[in-house]
Structure formats: C-alpha cells, structure tokens
Amino acid sequence: MTDAIKIDVWSDIACPWCYIGKRNLERGLAQTADDDDAPRVEVTFHSFELSPDTPVDFDGDEIDFLAGHKGMPRERVQEMLENVTGVAAQAGLAYRFDILKHTNTVKAHELLHFAKAHGAQPAMAERLMSAYFLEGRHVGRIDDLVALAAEVGLDAGAARDALESSRHLADVRADQAQAAAYGINGVPFFVIDGTYGVSGAQPADAFAQIARQVWAERQDAEQEPAAQTA
C-alpha cells in the first residue's frame, strides 16, 4: 500500500491566514475523498511564532496591537482586519476581532506538541484556533489551555504538568529551527512530502490539485520498478 502523503504545516495560533489555510487544506482534501484512488494524507502542525515578544496578557485590542507592532495607522489596520474577516467568511469562519484576546502563543504551541504525543494534534489545533478567532477565549494562560485540552479529550492533569514544566518547549524550538533551515519567514507554509513548498492560504482547489499530483507521482514511482522486473 502506498504510504500516506505527509503534509507539514508551519503556522501560528494567532495567525488569521493560518486558520483560513487550514480550513482550505481540509476542504481541498475533502474534494479528493471520492476519487477512485483517493490520496491518503497525514497532516502535522509545526510551531511558528509571529510575535514572540507579545505579553501573555496584552492590554488592548487587536487594532492596538497591530498598530503598535507594525507602526500602521489604525484606519489601515481596521481595513486589513475587515479584509481578512471577509476572506475567512468565504472559508466558513466567522472571525471576531472585536472580542479577540491577543496573547503570547508559545504555551499554545507546547500544548500542540503535547497533543501530538497523545494522538490528538488535529483536534487540538482546531480547538485552539476556534477558541482564539471565533470565541474570544484566552489561549496564552495555562489554566485556559488546560481547559481547552480537556475539551478535546486530553487528560487535564497531564496537560497542566506538560505546560508547567515546559516539557515541549524544546519541540517548539526545533520546529522553529527547521522553519529557518527551510527559509520559511511567513506562515502558513505547507511542505508536501518534504519536496514541495506551498506558501500562504491557497484556495481549496489548489490543495486538491497538489494532493492528486503527488499521489499520482507516488503511484508512478511504485509501478516503474515493477515494470522493470517484469
């Protein structure tokens, strides 16, 4: 049986385009599900901090943060947020920047690695992004993250221990080092089978196309040795 296509996704919980990219990837892969020989795919999320200097408890709203961090006029920031909200809506996501709680995301990334070790990373990634962009939940404090971990079926005590001990901080840093080695300086960024790099929140159709292409290449590569020995 052909091995699953590996899709490695570098993203940040606090990146609005990353959630859109995640949803478009899911929709693209869903388009291939009814193919006669549907691609099998394994998705892994990797850590990328857009603003590692952000405090856990930021005093202000998203406009305050972006205006200060990027030095942009507040009116321009408002236009940017309205634009991304419109794009998110097309992906079925109802962003709420008016209630969003900007925070440092390193602990959320540690939690994603904890979830990965327990086979629940996809569910945890979805829960964190939904909590942040749609529900106005805090995703920077340990108590809040433990509650979210429990909501996807992870052991709350074990999650708290992992976060308080920073057990997975080295995994976060390893992801960031790999991103630097790949030359990734913006997210979302998708690495397909360690060969193809896809930058940005591409449309669902684009993800469907590349999944089918890589799967076909896999099939052809497996058939060639068989033909040579026949």
Side-chain angles (χ1 to χ4, degrees), residues 7-12 15-29 43 45 84 87-93 95 126 129 133 187-190 192 198-208:
I7 300 182
D8 294 287
V9 185
W10 270 264
S11 64
D12 192 358
C15 164
W17 294 104
C18 291
Y19 199 8
I20 295 168
K22 176 181 179 295
R23 188 61 86 244
N24 286 350
L25 172 64
E26 293 164 349
R27 293 167 68 189
L29 296 178
V43 179
F45 291 93
V84 74
V87 177
Q90 294 174 16
L93 301 170
Y95 280 5
E126 177 63 28
M129 289 182 170
F133 283 109
V187 288
F189 196 93
F190 305 82
I192 318 296
V198 178
S199 178
Q202 300 297 320
D205 289 348
F207 286 118

Side-chain angles (χ1 to χ4, degrees), residues 1 3 13 15 18 31 41 43 56 60 78 85 108 114 132 141 159 186-189 194 198:
M1 180 182 293
D3 292 337
I13 298 303
C15 164
C18 291
Q31 290 179 22
V41 176
V43 179
V56 172
Q78 181 65 47
T85 298
F114 171 79
Y132 186 71
R141 298 184 297 235
V187 288
F189 196 93
V198 178

